[in-house]
Amino acid sequence: MKKVLKWTLAVVVSVSLGMSVVSCSNDEGGNEIEQRSIKSVKENHLEKDWIAAHFEFTESCKGAARFAYQVSAVHISLKGKNFKAVDKYSLKEDRGTWLLDNDVIVVDSEEFGQSFTFKIKELKNNSLYVDVIGHDDITAIELVTFTP
């Protein structure tokens, strides 16, 4: 019995010491990966599968409209000059074409029969921040991707 108790105590002490040596604080940034902004945006930087993760709204966008955007989980695929967007909440789908002009993305929607304009604020390997130009409800969108 004494051998089992000593062995258990040794394991507990070893694990405790190991945890204190291995632990890292958030102040040191030990578990954060630094990502650099992409300065010169090219089409191949955008040709990925994106998810709309966060919306910023106009003051006039209230209640039910905000809620609908927040739960939508829109998945956007940009391949070649074509895009496909699927709202995973309502299962509505849109297709069309897109064009990159310097730091401006223009999307021509078949579903809505109109163009939407987005100005790129920041592009990183797995995130894209855009200002939405001329939209009644949304002023900015953060998109994320799991595509390398």
Side-chain angles (χ1 to χ4, degrees), residues 54-69:
H54 176 76
F55 296 95
E56 293 178 22
F57 300 102
T58 62
E59 286 186 29
S60 63
C61 183
K62 304 271 188 225
R66 281 185 186 228
F67 180 75
Y69 286 114

Side-chain angles (χ1 to χ4, degrees), residues 25-125:
S25 73
N26 204 15
D27 296 338
E28 297 169 1
N31 52 350
E32 295 177 13
I33 298 172
E34 180 182 337
Q35 292 187 5
R36 297 181 187 181
S37 293
I38 297 172
K39 301 293 183 207
S40 177
V41 179
K42 296 183 175 128
E43 288 179 359
N44 65 329
H45 295 132
L46 300 173
E47 290 181 334
K48 299 180 180 186
D49 294 324
W50 298 94
I51 299 170
H54 176 76
F55 296 95
E56 293 178 22
F57 300 102
T58 62
E59 286 186 29
S60 63
C61 183
K62 304 271 188 225
R66 281 185 186 228
F67 180 75
Y69 286 114
Q70 290 169 336
V71 298
S72 64
V74 177
H75 289 222
I76 302 165
S77 177
L78 300 177
K79 303 248 190 283
K81 297 287 185 191
N82 298 311
F83 84 90
K84 177 181 175 182
V86 178
D87 180 335
K88 294 294 186 174
Y89 182 74
S90 69
L91 299 178
K92 290 183 181 177
E93 198 171 294
D94 189 11
R95 295 175 186 272
T97 58
W98 67 281
L99 171 71
L100 176 65
D101 183 16
N102 293 320
D103 62 349
V104 174
I105 304 168
V106 178
V107 174
D108 291 319
S109 165
E110 291 176 3
E111 176 72 21
F112 298 102
Q114 68 183 65
S115 296
F116 298 95
T117 305
F118 307 92
K119 183 168 182 359
I120 298 172
K121 290 176 17 179
E122 184 174 33
L123 173 63
K124 296 182 179 181
N125 286 338

